[in-house]
Amino acid sequence: QMQLVQSGAEVKRSGASVKVSCKALGYMFTSQYIHWVRQAPGQGLEWMGVINPSDGSTSYAQKFRGRVTMTRDTSTRTVYMELTSLRSDDTAMYYCARDLRCSPIRCHYYYAMDVWGQGTTVTVFS
Amino acid sequence: QSVLTQPPSVSGAPGQRVTISCSGSSSNIGAGFDVHWYQRLPGTTPKLLIYGNNNRPSGVPDRFSGSKSGTSASLAISGLQADDEADYHCQSYDNSLSVVFGGGTKLTVL
């Protein structure tokens, strides 16, 4: 069964950093890109960026450039999302999600997300 | 402020048909990029409902359908059921090289 399993909830002080993990199970880890998406309370879904698990290349949303880093460890089939200089408005549920179509062989443009992690709550207090 | 615009809420009675709109621009939906829809039931993670404008993943009932025209897209739900009550989100891609989402629409089954 294909699934993405994320790390547990985090509570951080304003200004700190958080690193969330996402382990891929049940499919070839390097076959499809993985996105990070967040949803703050009362807000819509917000795209943060994407990583190619095969070579580690990334693309970040402009809003998060300079604060977000996405990495992967092929030996453990895990991708990571680190967000620095946390603020109270970073309080949100963070999801990893697999791209339905984008693979290292072919990626015309980022597409739908067919497998989602269970989400990781990040709470930032001042 | 989301790049794609959705109504905050829609409602309908059981058995009725409802539609949820998703309005974009010439740099995303109007540029020819596909639109996808997600359903988020209370307390759960988003689930892919429609991809590529009008395709249903395996297991999604044919009561759910999608369409796209110009710079907008729509999700239609026919034969409304109580367990369709959820948040619905549209998603596309933008010429700014970003994935874009709508703000989400809360469907209430009366």
Side-chain angles (χ1 to χ4, degrees), chain A residues 39 45 95 109 111-113 117, chain B residues 34 36 38 40 45 52 91 101:
Chain A
Q39 186 168 24
L45 297 171
Y95 296 99
Y109 63 92
Y111 210 62
M113 302 170 202
Chain B
D34 285 351
H36 322 293
Y38 301 90
R40 185 175 179 186
T45 64
Q91 178 231 314
F101 285 99

Side-chain angles (χ1 to χ4, degrees), chain A residues 35 37 39 44-47 59 61 95 100 109-114 116-119, chain B residues 32-34 36 38 40 44-46 48 51-52 89 91 93 97-99 101-103:
Chain A
H35 300 267
V37 175
Q39 186 168 24
L45 297 171
E46 182 175 34
W47 183 72
S59 178
Y95 296 99
L100 174 66
Y109 63 92
Y110 307 132
Y111 210 62
M113 302 170 202
D114 66 337
W116 291 68
Q118 82 275 21
Chain B
F33 297 115
D34 285 351
H36 322 293
Y38 301 90
R40 185 175 179 186
T44 68
T45 64
L48 181 61
Y51 68 93
H89 302 264
Q91 178 231 314
Y93 183 76
L97 308 183
S98 289
V99 169
F101 285 99

